């Protein structure tokens, strides 16, 4: 654990605000006396979730949807913001149904942001997407080929897939060891 003191915040000013993000300017003084002014985007909302929906033991379901910031279609995991009063697992269930048309009987929080979804069943909820999202099944064993594609560049998706892959591999080892006695 790092016990280094945090910089002192001398001032904060909102520079611009939008529907989802606001830009804030922060004036800081570091423990060594150096002062700096930073601009940062500060997200609004109650948090977010990214879901790794496993169709079966080896296949993840991805969503191909328009990425406005990149102006192309991107393949990624279903994700979204938490709504007021909603837990991360409730948000995961809702986002999957809205984006890929599946719910899950088993949801497991892997990190504060990532939820592993298994034992899927078809169920569609109305979402806020302007067009139908294409569902893309992908073998977890072939993540290298997925991340080499020009349409799979979103860092949260890539990190979540590798975290889930490692978790599932470790789980398989534990199950195998337990079955051997």
């Amino acid at each position: 654990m790092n016990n280094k003191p945090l910089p002192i915040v001398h001032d904060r000013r909102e520079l611009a605000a939008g529907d989802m993000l606001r830009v804030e300017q922060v004036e800081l003084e570091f423990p060594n006396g150096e002062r700096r002014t930073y601009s940062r985007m500060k997200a609004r909302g109650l948090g977010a979730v990214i879901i790794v929906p496993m169709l079966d033991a080896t296949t993840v379901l991805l969503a191909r949807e328009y990425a406005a910031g990149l102006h192309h279609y991107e393949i990624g995991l279903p994700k979204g913001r938490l709504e007021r009063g909603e837990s991360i697992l409730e948000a995961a269930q809702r986002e999957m149904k809205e984006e890929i048309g599946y719910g899950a009987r088993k949801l497991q929080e892997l990190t504060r942001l990532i939820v592993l979804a298994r034992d899927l069943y078809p169920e569609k909820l109305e979402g806020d997407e302007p067009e139908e999202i294409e569902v893309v099944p992908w073998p977890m064993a072939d993540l290298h080929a997925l991340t080499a594609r020009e349409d799979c560049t979103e860092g949260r998706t890539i990190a979540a897939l590798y975290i889930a892959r490692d978790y599932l591999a470790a789980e398989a080892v534990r199950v195998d060891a337990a079955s051997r006695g």
Side-chain angles (χ1 to χ4, degrees), residues 5 8 10 23 26 48 69 73-74 81 100 110 136 139 144 159:
I8 298 166
H10 287 288
V23 178
V26 183
Y73 284 85
E74 184 84 359
R81 294 172 27 179
I100 63 168
L110 298 183
V136 180
H144 181 72

Side-chain angles (χ1 to χ4, degrees), residues 90-117:
E90 291 167 336
Q93 193 74 269
R94 177 183 48 76
E95 287 292 342
M96 280 194 331
K97 291 174 183 178
E98 289 175 359
E99 292 190 13
I100 63 168
Y102 282 89
R105 290 180 189 88
K106 292 181 182 177
L107 293 170
Q108 183 173 5
E109 192 174 330
L110 298 183
T111 72
R112 238 179 49 187
L113 174 69
I114 302 167
V115 171
L116 179 64

